[in-house]
């Protein structure tokens, strides 16, 4: 609804069913022109455009699949007609249609979901903040919420490769979770694995949580977390509900996949970040354009770890990097990190006293 107020003020404040209908009737449209992205490697400057598929995430999940895909393909064709050689699918536009596969099949230009770079930045963000909070990776229990998804599955594989103590895999489908756990067990036979369809149970012991569901948001409640844990919320809309900001000063939430683009990027579109900051899924398209790699880079559910590593190296080469940490529309300050560290330490001491 905040996006509606920003971009469609005529319907802001109207009742939800009416807004939903207006969105269904509104065709996909060109939203803004992007300028000023300049490679730090060779000075190449690129331009691009944003297109809007005017639907709420819950509509993308619940409306007729062909209708939704049609709107997404319409937006991609607008881009193609304006000369785009590659189109990136942001947020939920790659959740329908087999992680971008159906859209890519309908297009002549290249299509990417941006999910490989999203994974790279989520892992980098989560592990960096964990170290700042003195969480030892080899002793850590890590939970991936949405572990059977395109992003979650490869996040789980990468984090397992870091040699964590225990990995909890959480999603809705028990069968998909068991398949995911079987695959991980074959890759990492010594790793302790747990699967759960019960979110609070799955995350209550976790030191690090990477949350990347397509649930529509607000599924992680304040009471679920262990004191001192890190939650990297990759989902858009966010999985962590906003009350956590006030009710749990002893846990640290960061948004996953928030990136600063090199040069003087002007997106000319307010998606809630400061100037020059964008989502990793958007950045992946920019990086591939700077490399003139007009190919279906991250498409389909099975992402490859090699591609995550490759896009991460290309990002560094051109000067894309994590934007600093943000949560609940604000930067995460050093003071905030200190506060979590102190409260977590106090909580650990209190628990020891109670056990004695
Ligand atoms: N920050 C960024 O730059 C960026 C970039 C791209 C995408 N994203 C976001 O990342 C998220 C995941 O994208 P994806 O492409 O990986 O989606 P996906 O492949 O459709 O996977 C979604 C995952 O969420 C799980 N899930 C859905 N509803 C759930 C619920 N109520 N409770 C628990 N688990 C639930 C699914 O489990 P089941 O298999 O059991 O259904 C699945 O594991 C989306 O929110 C998307 O917007 C962010």
């Amino acid at each position: 609804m905040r996006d509606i107020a920003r971009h469609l003020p005529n319907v802001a404040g109207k009742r939800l069913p009416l807004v939903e209908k207006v969105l269904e009737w509104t065709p996909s449209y060109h939203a803004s022109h992007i300028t000023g992205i300049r490679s730090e490697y060779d000075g190449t400057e690129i331009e691009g455009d944003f297109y809007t598929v005017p639907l709420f995430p819950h509509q993308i999940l619940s409306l007729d699949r062909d209708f939704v895909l049609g709107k997404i393909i319409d937006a991609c064709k607008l881009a193609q007609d304006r000369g785009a050689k590659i189109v990136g699918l942001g947020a939920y536009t790659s959740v329908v249609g087999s992680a971008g596969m159906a859209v890519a099949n309908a297009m002549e230009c290249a299509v990417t979901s941006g999910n490989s770079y999203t994974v790279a930045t989520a892992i980098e963000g989560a592990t960096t903040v964990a170290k700042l909070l003195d969480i030892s990776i080899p002793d850590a229990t890590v939970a991936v919420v949405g572990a059977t998804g395109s992003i979650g599955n490869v996040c789980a594989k990468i984090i397992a490769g870091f040699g964590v103590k225990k990995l909890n895999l959480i999603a809705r489908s028990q069968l998909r979770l068991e398949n995911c756990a079987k695959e991980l067990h074959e890759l990492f036979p010594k790793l302790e694995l747990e699967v759960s369809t019960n979110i609070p149970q799955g995350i209550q012991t976790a030191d690090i949580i990477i949350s990347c569901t397509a649930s529509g948001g607000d599924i992680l409640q304040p009471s679920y977390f262990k004191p001192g844990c890190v939650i990297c919320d990759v989902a858009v809309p966010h999985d962590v509900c906003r009350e956590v900001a006030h009710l749990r000063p002893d846990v640290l939430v960061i948004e996953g996949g928030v990136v600063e683009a090199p040069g003087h990027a002007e997106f000319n579109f307010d998606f809630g970040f400061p100037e020059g900051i964008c989502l990793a899924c958007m950045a992946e398209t920019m990086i591939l354009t700077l490399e003139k790699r007009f190919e279906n880079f991250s498409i389909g559910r099975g992402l490859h770890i090699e591609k995550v590593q490759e896009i991460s190296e290309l990002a560094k080469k051109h000067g894309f990097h994590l934007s600093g940490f943000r949560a609940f529309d604000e930067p995460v300050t050093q003071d905030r990190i200190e506060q979590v560290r102190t409260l977590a330490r106090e909580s650990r001491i209190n628990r020891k006293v109670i056990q004695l």
Side-chain angles (χ1 to χ4, degrees):
M1 273 300 186
R2 283 189 302 161
D3 285 341
I4 294 293
R6 274 204 289 257
H7 303 297
L8 294 170
N10 292 350
V11 286
K14 301 275 190 291
R15 286 172 47 244
L16 182 63
L18 178 65
V19 180
E20 286 173 338
K21 267 289 160 234
V22 171
L23 293 186
E24 276 181 51
W25 293 330
T26 307
S28 300
Y29 61 92
H30 175 259
S32 77
H33 188 59
I34 309 163
T35 57
I37 297 156
R38 189 180 164 85
S39 165
E40 286 176 3
Y41 173 69
D42 59 6
T44 303
E45 203 160 313
I46 55 166
E47 295 189 5
D49 295 281
F50 278 122
Y51 296 83
T52 296
V53 178
L55 289 173
F56 287 120
H58 68 262
Q59 289 179 294
I60 291 186
L61 296 178
S62 63
L63 287 172
D64 176 70
R65 180 182 176 274
D66 290 341
F67 171 76
V68 173
L69 274 176
K71 278 195 128 179
I72 298 169
I73 291 167
D74 285 349
C76 296
K77 290 205 165 149
L78 286 176
Q80 189 171 270
D81 291 348
R82 280 172 67 105
K85 295 194 177 107
I86 184 163
V87 175
L89 301 172
Y92 273 45
T93 57
S94 67
V95 167
V96 279
S98 307
M101 190 75 88
V103 178
N105 288 340
M107 301 300 299
E108 280 152 37
C109 68
V111 179
T112 190
S113 66
N115 285 356
S116 296
Y117 192 44
T118 302
V119 169
T121 53
I123 299 280
E124 186 186 343
T127 51
T128 306
V129 171
K131 281 181 200 146
L132 292 174
L133 286 182
D134 304 326
I135 296 172
S136 140
I137 302 287
D139 297 323
T141 294
V142 180
V144 179
V145 190
T148 53
S150 166
I151 292 172
N153 184 261
V154 77
C155 276
K157 283 182 191 151
I158 294 175
I159 212 93
F162 291 170
V164 296
K165 184 171 153 238
K166 189 177 172 210
L167 188 54
N168 294 353
L169 308 172
I170 299 140
R172 289 173 304 185
S173 156
Q174 182 73 22
L175 181 65
R176 280 197 288 271
L177 278 170
E178 278 164 15
N179 289 339
C180 181
K182 193 164 161 253
E183 202 187 353
L184 276 160
H185 179 67
E186 278 162 17
L187 291 168
F188 306 98
K190 289 189 182 151
L191 175 66
E192 192 183 340
L193 281 165
E194 185 181 304
V195 299
S196 180
T197 55
N198 179 319
I199 297 177
Q201 198 180 68
I203 67 175
Q204 67 189 352
T205 57
D207 304 292
I208 303 172
I209 299 161
I210 299 178
S211 200
C212 41
T213 79
S215 62
D218 290 343
I219 55 168
L220 302 187
Q221 302 291 326
S223 60
Y224 294 179
F225 308 109
K226 171 178 169 178
C229 76
V230 168
I231 307 124
C232 178
D233 191 353
V234 185
V236 180
H238 297 310
D239 282 342
V240 179
C241 68
R242 290 186 83 84
E243 288 74 35
V244 172
H246 313 293
L247 298 177
R248 292 300 305 264
D250 60 336
V251 303
L252 194 66
V253 180
I254 58 162
E255 289 171 17
V258 185
V259 170
E260 188 168 343
H264 299 284
E266 292 201 18
F267 298 122
N268 299 308
F269 186 81
D270 177 8
F271 40 86
F273 295 142
E275 200 57 47
I277 309 290
C278 64
L279 288 172
C281 53
M282 302 167 181
E284 180 171 306
T285 313
M286 300 169 199
I287 297 161
L288 292 172
T289 304
L290 284 168
E291 282 288 307
K292 299 189 177 52
R293 295 268 301 267
F294 303 119
E295 60 189 78
N296 296 348
F297 190 82
S298 312
I299 284 296
R301 288 213 173 268
L303 292 182
H304 299 284
I305 292 180
E306 298 73 28
K307 287 203 165 180
V308 174
Q309 284 160 345
E310 185 184 8
I311 198 77
S312 177
E313 278 157 25
L314 293 175
K316 285 191 190 103
K317 170 178 159 184
H318 290 290
F320 289 80
H321 54 81
L322 279 186
S323 76
F325 302 112
R326 295 181 62 79
F328 309 112
D329 304 325
E330 309 252 330
V332 173
T333 61
Q334 191 56 42
D335 284 353
R336 174 79 188 99
I337 293 171
E338 279 306 321
Q339 182 193 31
V340 177
R341 215 193 333 228
T342 308
L343 290 172
R345 205 180 297 129
E346 282 170 8
S347 157
R348 274 193 292 270
I349 292 166
N350 289 342
R351 265 184 294 160
K352 271 192 192 146
V353 171
I354 291 165
Q355 277 164 10
L356 285 173

